[in-house]
Every structure is written in structure tokens, then in C-alpha cells.
Amino acid sequence: MEDDTETICRICGYDDELFWEGGWPTAFICPCCGNESDVGDASVMSLRNYRGYWVRHGAQWHDSLEECKRKLQGWDLLKQMANIPPEWR
Ligand SMILES: [Zn+2]
């Protein structure tokens, strides 16, 4: 079996956290878009819905502490979304 570990949020491209491990969701809640793995991102269709909804509502961060940290580092939504693997766009 190939490595099914995913450390990039399928919805918003946030990285450095474990979202999927061995093909299983970790139920980790993304600090950026607030999705819990397997809830909004189980299929390309549902994650596009979630992402569209999230972006239309101003791409609000779920975790404001993490938001501050990332924004101090020059966070950019489009740059982050460029991390999203092609199969989840
Ligand atoms: Zn996310």
C-alpha cells in the first residue's frame, strides 16, 4: 500500500497537521477552514461545496490564535490554496 498520510487540508491547503493517516480520517479540525477530516472533505464534490461556502463567507479562520501566527508570517489565502493536491481541487 502506498502512503496515504495527508498533512495538507484538502479544502484550504493548510499544512503541517495530520488530517488523514493510512487512508483514515484523524478527525482533526483544520485551524483555518474549520473542517474536520472526513466531514466536509470525503469526496471532491463535498469538499468543493465546503470550500466554496467557506471562501464566499470571507475565508474565516477557525482558530484565531493560529490565524495571528500565520498572518504574522505573511499568510496568503491563494498561496495556501496552491498547496491543495490536484486531486482535491
Ligand atoms: Zn482547512
Side-chain angles (χ1 to χ4, degrees):
M1 248 183 74
E2 79 273 33
D3 182 14
D4 285 330
T5 297
E6 292 179 45
T7 56
I8 294 174
C9 177
R10 293 176 179 178
I11 290 172
C12 69
Y14 181 92
D15 59 357
D16 285 343
E17 292 291 351
L18 196 57
F19 292 98
W20 290 78
E21 194 173 23
W24 294 94
T26 59
F28 180 80
I29 296 180
C30 177
C32 189
C33 67
N35 178 60
E36 181 179 331
S37 49
D38 200 36
V39 176
D41 64 351
S43 72
V44 175
M45 240 171 56
S46 69
L47 71 86
R48 280 184 185 156
N49 277 338
Y50 191 104
R51 186 189 294 138
Y53 179 88
W54 178 68
V55 170
R56 271 198 310 278
H57 287 78
Q60 298 287 325
W61 277 73
H62 178 70
D63 181 335
S64 49
L65 228 116
E66 194 58 30
E67 175 182 15
C68 286
K69 234 167 74 187
R70 293 270 170 151
K71 283 191 172 168
L72 280 172
Q73 294 165 0
W75 181 79
D76 181 278
L77 175 64
L78 293 179
K79 261 190 229 158
Q80 177 179 285
M81 287 181 89
N83 295 333
I84 301 169
E87 65 265 38
W88 301 115
R89 292 206 178 155

